[in-house]
């Protein structure tokens, strides 16, 4: 078989752990080969934290669901072997089944998200004494002996901290990049810095910092208070030269939903929290593409006078005109895309829909609000580009689908 490490990781290792590779945001030379260890999975990203209890696992699961909610195929691998929490966070119980031939396991699935965790293999409360080599063996099995299928991104929920185990894991996996979750307090940021340094050492691109429990939102009155001060992590990210991906509030609903296996991104998709996770996912995706050297420059968006179509002009000269109806029925939202390709909805009756507003999201996406109230689609530049390029084929496929399901355009 093939070497389990990407050439990039091997190169990094050959250069020695000292590395000094400068900012990890430097695009890699040439096209990165598709993750050699995991066929079908385009990107593996690590979600890590300098210490435990900062909400890393909660963030990882909602981020993975956020990727799905913006139209990407995602999965999550719980590499937190000491304290696997994905079974609880996703509300999954039972054991994974083994495929005929006995070589591969099927991942578990909830909310359309494929998931694998040590928690499915051993009963909760069974103490396991992990020795170094077992840790990497377990990780490799969950990564390579699982039928993940076709995924745009597999999120790896790392064990908290920055010890040898984490370092070895980071080296074992051909990562496209790493996201660091931190809380705003100074101490946590110092820990976060350790996390950043760990990935820099092994030359893994840093996609950015997510600030969790960034501010407090009162569950009864909705008022926001910046109990830890404001902008700490953002300033720190700037100083450290890594992108600030965004902040997540400290909120009762996030905790309660998460601890009962109903992650807010899918159980309450119209909530402000779900929107925050979708934005984090879109921003993180933009960073993944940027690290790959494929950043899409923001296109010029022009709404037609009758609000029935959108002009999308890319810097490269491509110019597309997309109807409000097409954008609506192909919205990259969970409502339209479902949680998996099989669940994708065919939406009819939108011939007369208009665009009510265009709400820019960072420099990587636009939120489109439609006259029927739909507003959960976050259109990233690559998605708009894809819609433009495949406009005719997609529209014919849509019309055929309508016909087949006995629907019409209204
Ligand atoms: P870690 O993986 O860093 O150890 P967890 O994701 O397990 O942390 O989160 C620790 C606790 O904090 C959990 O009970 C979780 O529900 C809660 N939590 C995480 N993020 C938030 C948030 N933004 N608002 C409220 N509670 C949160």
């Amino acid at each position: 078989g093939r070497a389990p490490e990407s050439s990039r990781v091997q190169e990094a290792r050959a250069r020695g752990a000292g590395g000094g590779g400068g900012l990890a945001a430097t695009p890699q030379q040439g096209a990165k080969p598709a993750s050699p260890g995991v066929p079908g999975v385009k990107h593996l990203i690590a979600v890590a934290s300098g210490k435990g209890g900062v909400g890393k696992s909660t963030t990882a699961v909602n981020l993975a669901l956020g990727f799905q909610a913006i139209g990407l195929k995602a999965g999550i691998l719980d590499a937190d072997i000491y304290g696997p929490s994905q079974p609880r966070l996703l509300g999954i119980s039972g054991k994974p089944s083994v495929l005929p031939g006995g070589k591969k396991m099927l991942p578990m699935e909830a909310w359309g998200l494929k998931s694998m965790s040590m928690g499915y293999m051993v009963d909760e409360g069974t103490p396991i004494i992990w020795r170094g080599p077992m840790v990497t063996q377990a990780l490799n099995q969950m990564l390579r002996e699982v039928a993940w299928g076709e995924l745009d991104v597999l999120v790896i929920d790392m064990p908290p901290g920055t010890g040898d185990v984490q370092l070895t894991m980071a080296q074992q996996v051909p990562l496209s990049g790493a996201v660091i979750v931190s809380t705003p307090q100074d101490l946590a940021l110092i820990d976060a810095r350790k996390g950043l340094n760990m990935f820099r050492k092994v030359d893994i691109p840093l996609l950015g910092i997510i600030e969790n429990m960034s501010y407090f939102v009162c569950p009864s009155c909705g008022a926001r208070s910046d109990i830890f001060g404001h902008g700490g992590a953002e300033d720190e990210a700037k100083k450290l030269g890594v992108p600030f991906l965004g902040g997540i509030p400290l909120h009762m609903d996030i905790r309660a939903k998460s601890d009962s296996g109903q992650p807010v991104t899918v159980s309450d998709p119209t909530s402000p929290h779900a929107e925050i996770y979708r934005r984090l996912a879109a921003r993180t995706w933009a960073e993944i593409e940027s690290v790959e050297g494929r950043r899409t420059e923001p296109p010029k968006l022009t709404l037609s006078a009758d609000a029935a179509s959108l002009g999308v002009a890319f810097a490269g000269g491509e110019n597309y005109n997309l109807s409000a109806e097409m954008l609506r029925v192909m919205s990259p939202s969970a409502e339209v895309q479902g949680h998996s390709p099989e669940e994708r909805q065919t939406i009819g009756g939108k011939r007369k829909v208009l665009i009510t507003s265009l709400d820019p999201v960072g420099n990587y996406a636009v939120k489109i609000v439609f006259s029927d109230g739909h507003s959960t689609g976050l259109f990233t530049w690559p998605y708009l580009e894809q819609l433009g390029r495949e406009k005719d084929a997609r529209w014919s496929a849509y019309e055929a689908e309508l016909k087949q399901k006995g629907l019409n355009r209204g």
Side-chain angles (χ1 to χ4, degrees), residues 61-321:
V61 78
N62 281 291
L63 184 67
L65 291 163
F67 283 129
Q68 233 175 222
I70 62 166
L72 298 165
K73 289 187 221 105
I76 190 159
L77 192 167
D78 187 0
D80 193 346
I81 47 162
Y82 299 102
S85 50
Q86 297 305 334
R88 177 174 46 89
L89 294 179
L90 287 165
I92 295 177
S93 57
K95 294 202 187 317
S97 49
V98 178
L99 285 173
K103 288 234 167 73
K104 284 205 169 189
M105 275 179 291
L106 270 181
M108 303 297 274
E109 203 171 311
W111 310 97
L113 189 72
K114 290 179 179 163
S115 149
M116 190 39 83
S117 168
M118 253 317 140
Y120 306 133
M121 256 87 79
V122 286
D123 295 323
E124 211 176 337
T126 308
I128 313 174
I129 300 157
W130 290 98
R131 294 174 218 288
M134 288 165 64
V135 170
T136 49
Q137 203 190 337
L139 176 68
N140 272 315
Q141 279 180 359
M142 290 196 289
L143 198 61
R144 300 189 172 93
E145 291 172 24
V146 168
W148 289 105
E150 296 285 319
L151 294 181
D152 293 305
V153 54
L154 179 61
V155 173
I156 302 184
D157 182 5
M158 297 283 285
T162 51
D164 285 347
V165 170
Q166 290 81 354
L167 192 66
T168 312
M169 278 193 168
Q171 286 176 312
Q172 283 285 315
V173 178
L175 290 168
S176 293
V179 169
I180 307 287
V181 180
S182 169
T183 58
Q185 295 97 320
D186 259 344
L187 186 69
L189 283 175
I190 291 168
D191 286 312
R193 206 167 312 170
K194 283 191 210 151
L196 295 177
N197 287 335
M198 173 173 86
F199 289 107
R200 280 192 173 145
K201 247 193 212 170
V202 289
D203 210 26
I204 289 165
L206 290 160
L207 301 169
I209 295 182
I210 292 178
E211 186 180 58
N212 190 32
M213 312 190 192
S214 185
Y215 49 92
F216 177 71
V217 178
C218 169
S220 42
C221 70
R224 166 179 174 151
S225 32
D226 290 310
I227 43 180
F228 305 111
H230 181 65
E234 191 163 5
D235 292 346
E236 196 63 25
K238 243 183 230 144
K239 269 190 233 152
L240 297 167
V242 290
F244 177 67
L245 298 170
I248 303 161
L250 174 64
H251 195 283
M252 232 356 226
D253 285 352
I254 297 180
R255 196 206 62 73
K257 291 209 169 5
S258 172
D259 291 347
S260 65
Q262 313 262 312
V264 69
T265 306
V266 279
S267 65
D268 196 0
T270 56
S271 67
H273 307 308
E275 167 127 10
I276 287 170
Y277 286 115
R278 285 194 297 271
R279 287 182 181 219
L280 280 173
R283 176 81 208 264
T284 305
W285 184 249
E287 290 304 328
I288 293 173
E289 297 214 307
S290 154
V291 162
E292 247 196 338
R294 296 200 294 128
R295 184 192 282 277
T296 313
E297 290 303 321
K300 190 173 180 300
L301 302 177
T302 319
L303 190 58
S304 66
D306 62 0
S309 68
L310 183 69
V312 188
F314 286 95
E318 308 92 336
N319 205 333
Y320 305 110
N321 194 44

Side-chain angles (χ1 to χ4, degrees), residues 344-367:
R344 206 168 58 75
Q345 299 282 320
T346 308
I347 313 268
K350 298 294 175 190
R351 189 196 293 270
K352 295 200 181 99
V353 84
L354 299 174
I355 292 171
T356 317
S357 75
L358 296 171
D359 171 16
V361 177
N363 59 354
Y364 51 88
V366 61
K367 181 174 112 169

